[in-house]
Amino acid sequence: TQPPAASRVGITLETYILDGMMGFPEATGAFTSLLNQIGLAAKLITSKVRRAGLANILGYTGETNVQGEQVQKLDEVANETLLSSLGRRGHCAAVASEELEEPRVLSTDPRARYVVVTDPLDGSSNIDVNISIGTIFGILRKKEDRAGAEAADFLRPGRELLAAGYVLYGSSTMLVITTGVGGVHGFTYDPTVGEFFLSHENIRIPSGGGLYSINEGNSGRWTEEVRRWNAWVKEEDKGTGRPYACRYVGSLVADAHRTLLKGGLFAYPADRKNQRGKLRLLYEANPFAFVFEAAGGRATTGSERILDIEPTELHQRVPVVLGGTEEVTLFEEFMRGKR
Ligand code: P6P
């Protein structure tokens, strides 16, 4: 019998990608090159995020600095960094970004066969209080090999993603990525070397995490079903590990990453104020739904599988529930009034 595959922990992101260890659906050089461009952008952005307080790049309140210069907002810096990295090798035709009203075309060469969806710096209101923020990305194949890209290339269900993931600028910088078929893998950045090293191979969401993550401040606006679920998770019941502990940072990448590693459930349901939910389908919900399902979890709106939603608008919002299979299934039972 074959000896167990030696763990590949410690190899770099580039090696892992180039050696096709992620089970790509497209083992083309262009696809691996595109993934490495995302890795490069993550290095450049983390460098800027770590110096934001010093470099006088403020978070959501871009101001003028002592020289009277308009200080660029960090999320705009992140967006420009991603666009220039993705545009460098000519494999990405266009990018749909939370920062851009319309997609940015990067190449009209028909050989540029991919498009990227991204939230370059999600949670930017947390920058000025030094709370973790993140970059979210997804890669799609253009619907056909023609010059440039159209909205139709982006308005596709998330199940058509070729790869998706995120970068968390937390106590360390970690890039988590999956191609959907070869597992979910975490790479931690070593700034002394300037490389991402595999640190979490084949992440699987634990069951029974005993954690839930939701903005309780919205409870006055929730539906009766969400309120009943919220009361249930807080009841004393040793047999089912309740009450669950509440953990909520208010930064999607941080809250979702903790849920992925520790288990439990993250929810941003629709409410009276955000009647279609708050989070964006294309570049927030879909990439995380893709990661959670690849890690053995589930991702729904509370009633519908997120990856099956047919988008109609680039920036449309959607209710989001991410977590372990049992926790998400239980949440859905409450939404259907079965509990
Ligand atoms: P609330 C940050 O602004 C964000 O877009 C996500 O990162 C986060 O999950 C959510 O909004 C937090 O929203 O309404 O709880 O402050």
Side-chain angles (χ1 to χ4, degrees):
T1 56
Q2 289 293 326
S7 166
R8 294 172 284 216
V9 168
I11 68 169
T12 65
L13 173 66
E14 281 78 2
T15 304
Y16 206 83
I17 290 171
L18 288 174
D19 289 1
M21 293 182 189
M22 249 181 272
F24 301 150
E26 308 228 346
T28 64
F31 186 69
T32 49
S33 167
L34 183 56
L35 287 180
N36 276 318
Q37 291 310 106
I38 289 173
L40 170 64
K43 293 179 187 177
L44 295 169
I45 295 170
T46 194
S47 161
K48 294 180 167 73
V49 165
R50 298 300 179 199
R51 288 182 293 116
L54 298 172
N56 203 0
I57 309 173
L58 297 174
Y60 63 99
T61 58
E63 295 164 2
T64 53
N65 61 18
V66 290
Q67 292 82 10
E69 295 153 358
Q70 176 63 33
V71 174
Q72 198 178 15
K73 294 195 295 183
L74 194 52
D75 40 13
E76 289 166 3
V77 171
N79 189 55
E80 289 310 317
T81 301
L82 256 169
L83 291 172
S84 65
S85 299
L86 291 170
R88 201 162 290 167
R89 303 294 300 275
H91 303 308
C92 180
V95 176
S97 167
E98 197 264 353
E99 292 291 319
L100 301 170
E101 194 51 42
E102 296 302 326
R104 174 80 58 85
V105 173
L106 297 180
S107 168
T108 53
D109 184 329
R111 288 169 300 175
R113 298 183 303 176
Y114 302 102
V115 294
V116 169
V117 293
T118 182
D119 188 349
L121 204 59
D122 178 79
S124 48
S125 56
N126 293 307
I127 294 168
D128 297 334
V129 292
N130 211 10
I131 284 176
S132 301
I133 49 182
T135 297
I136 309 166
F137 62 87
I139 301 175
L140 290 156
R141 180 88 166 64
K142 272 180 7 184
K143 287 179 78 72
E144 52 192 83
D145 288 348
R146 48 159 153 68
E150 297 163 3
D153 291 313
F154 293 100
L155 299 179
R156 324 245 294 281
R159 64 174 181 266
E160 294 182 18
L161 283 162
L162 290 180
Y166 56 89
V167 186
L168 176 60
Y169 309 104
S171 46
S172 68
T173 293
M174 189 164 157
L175 185 147
V176 174
I177 186 167
T178 182
T179 57
V181 292
V184 179
H185 308 293
F187 298 82
T188 299
Y189 187 61
D190 179 343
T192 66
V193 179
E195 289 291 357
F196 280 101
F197 291 95
L198 181 66
S199 54
H200 296 64
E201 188 168 26
N202 202 22
I203 297 171
R204 304 293 292 171
I205 185 165
S207 59
L211 294 173
Y212 76 100
S213 187
I214 193 167
N215 184 342
E216 295 257 357
N218 293 335
S219 59
R221 300 183 188 131
W222 289 337
T223 62
E224 185 49 39
E225 291 77 8
V226 175
R227 268 203 285 274
R228 270 213 318 282
W229 166 83
N230 186 245
W232 183 86
V233 295
K234 292 188 274 196
E235 285 168 359
E236 193 80 33
D237 178 290
K238 294 278 179 285
T240 54
R242 287 181 291 154
Y244 286 177
C246 182
R247 292 286 181 277
Y248 192 76
V249 175
S251 183
L252 172 62
V253 180
D255 284 319
H257 180 69
R258 184 203 50 250
T259 305
L260 183 71
L261 292 192
K262 298 288 186 192
L265 178 136
F266 168 86
Y268 206 110
D271 61 36
R272 270 206 312 279
K273 179 184 170 197
N274 292 301
Q275 296 187 13
R276 295 187 67 183
K278 174 179 185 183
L279 302 177
R280 311 286 186 171
L281 173 61
L282 261 62
Y283 41 77
E284 291 177 338
N286 273 342
F288 272 109
F290 195 74
V291 167
F292 269 72
E293 288 199 2
R298 290 191 62 212
T300 80
T301 61
S303 58
E304 179 186 6
R305 183 187 182 222
I306 286 176
L307 293 181
D308 286 339
I309 298 175
E310 293 286 348
T312 52
E313 301 151 34
L314 217 49
H315 301 283
Q316 75 185 70
R317 300 174 191 268
V318 69
V320 175
V321 184
L322 304 168
T325 298
E326 63 189 81
E327 288 91 344
V328 174
T329 303
L330 187 101
F331 185 92
E332 289 177 322
E333 287 174 6
F334 277 91
M335 296 309 109
R336 284 198 295 271
K338 288 172 63 179
R339 288 239 184 180

